[in-house]
Amino acid sequence: MKRVWLVLLLVLFMALVAIFWKQLGEDASQVPSALIGKEVPDFDLPPLYEDGKGLKTADLEEGVHLVNIWASWCGPCRGEHPVLMQLSEDDRFDVTSINYKDEGENARRFLGTLGNPFDRIATDSTGRTAIDWGVYGVPETFIVRDGIIVYKNVGPLNTKAFQTDFMPALEKAISEEEAEKSGGQQPTS
């Protein structure tokens, strides 16, 4: 009887090792999202700055937008910030954000120190909107085209997946938007 239990435990252990081994090869930034291809959730969030712009569903209905979910207490958010600053220089899309479960003063200090790449900054103090967006943690960045979520990146935008997956998805969304604006003609390079 002892031998049977030992064999069962060994089989269970080997199955767990196989599962963990398979997961090691997975790219964490490629977490599937049930929202890809669907309209952005209905939301309306207040601005981080009193004289600033918040963010709501209607703001994302036309054009291409990046929606970055971040927090001042998030180390990887600090690491990806230079990439967001660089992306904000491209006028083919808007860089917007949702500040997640953060103290307003800390978020404003973070942006004051590192720079503000965002056209709009909304605050989600309860985290409810982030849940509606399917956010696992910060940072996460969504590409939205004409109110539809077309891509989701989990983790900072300074990884290999940024170049291999995120930027091609962004360029595709931009070219589709430009083609639509030009009456269905593909833009020339």
Side-chain angles (χ1 to χ4, degrees):
M1 190 65 167
K2 266 186 173 179
R3 188 171 271 168
V4 171
W5 281 108
L6 186 59
V7 169
L8 286 174
L9 285 173
L10 183 61
V11 168
L12 180 62
F13 176 75
M14 295 304 288
L16 288 172
V17 167
I19 290 168
F20 289 131
W21 184 264
K22 182 182 181 308
Q23 294 296 320
L24 284 176
E26 302 278 326
D27 184 352
S29 67
Q30 298 302 307
V31 177
S33 173
L35 297 178
I36 302 297
K38 299 214 165 93
E39 292 181 0
V40 297
D42 188 34
F43 72 103
D44 186 355
L45 293 173
L48 176 64
Y49 295 97
E50 282 186 32
D51 61 344
K53 298 175 186 173
L55 188 63
K56 60 185 180 271
T57 305
D59 297 325
L60 304 174
E61 289 178 349
E62 292 183 18
V64 177
H65 309 271
L66 299 187
V67 181
N68 180 255
I69 318 287
W70 66 283
S72 65
W73 45 263
C74 162
C77 296
R78 184 174 290 273
E80 82 170 352
H81 203 77
V83 174
L84 291 167
M85 292 296 291
Q86 191 172 22
L87 286 169
S88 71
E89 295 174 11
D90 192 328
D91 62 358
R92 299 176 297 165
F93 54 88
D94 292 330
V95 180
T96 61
S97 78
I98 298 174
N99 182 243
Y100 175 76
K101 288 188 170 183
D102 207 349
E103 295 292 329
E105 182 179 326
N106 293 342
R108 288 185 288 275
R109 188 176 319 118
F110 178 96
L111 295 173
T113 301
L114 299 177
N116 182 357
F118 305 117
D119 298 302
R120 293 174 177 271
I121 309 167
T123 59
D124 184 13
S125 58
T126 65
R128 180 71 230 167
T129 297
I131 290 170
D132 293 343
W133 278 74
V135 171
Y136 296 96
V138 290
E140 289 191 18
T141 305
F142 295 82
I143 300 172
V144 175
R145 181 179 168 269
D146 296 333
I148 305 296
I149 297 171
V150 296
Y151 187 84
K152 175 182 178 178
N153 187 81
V154 176
L157 293 176
N158 56 1
T159 63
K160 180 181 173 188
F162 173 73
Q163 290 298 329
T164 59
D165 298 319
F166 182 85
M167 285 307 294
L170 178 58
E171 290 298 335
K172 180 180 179 197
I174 292 167
S175 69
E176 288 172 349
E177 182 70 14
E178 289 173 348
E180 188 176 291
K181 284 182 180 176
S182 67
Q185 307 242 340
Q186 287 296 332
T188 56
S189 300

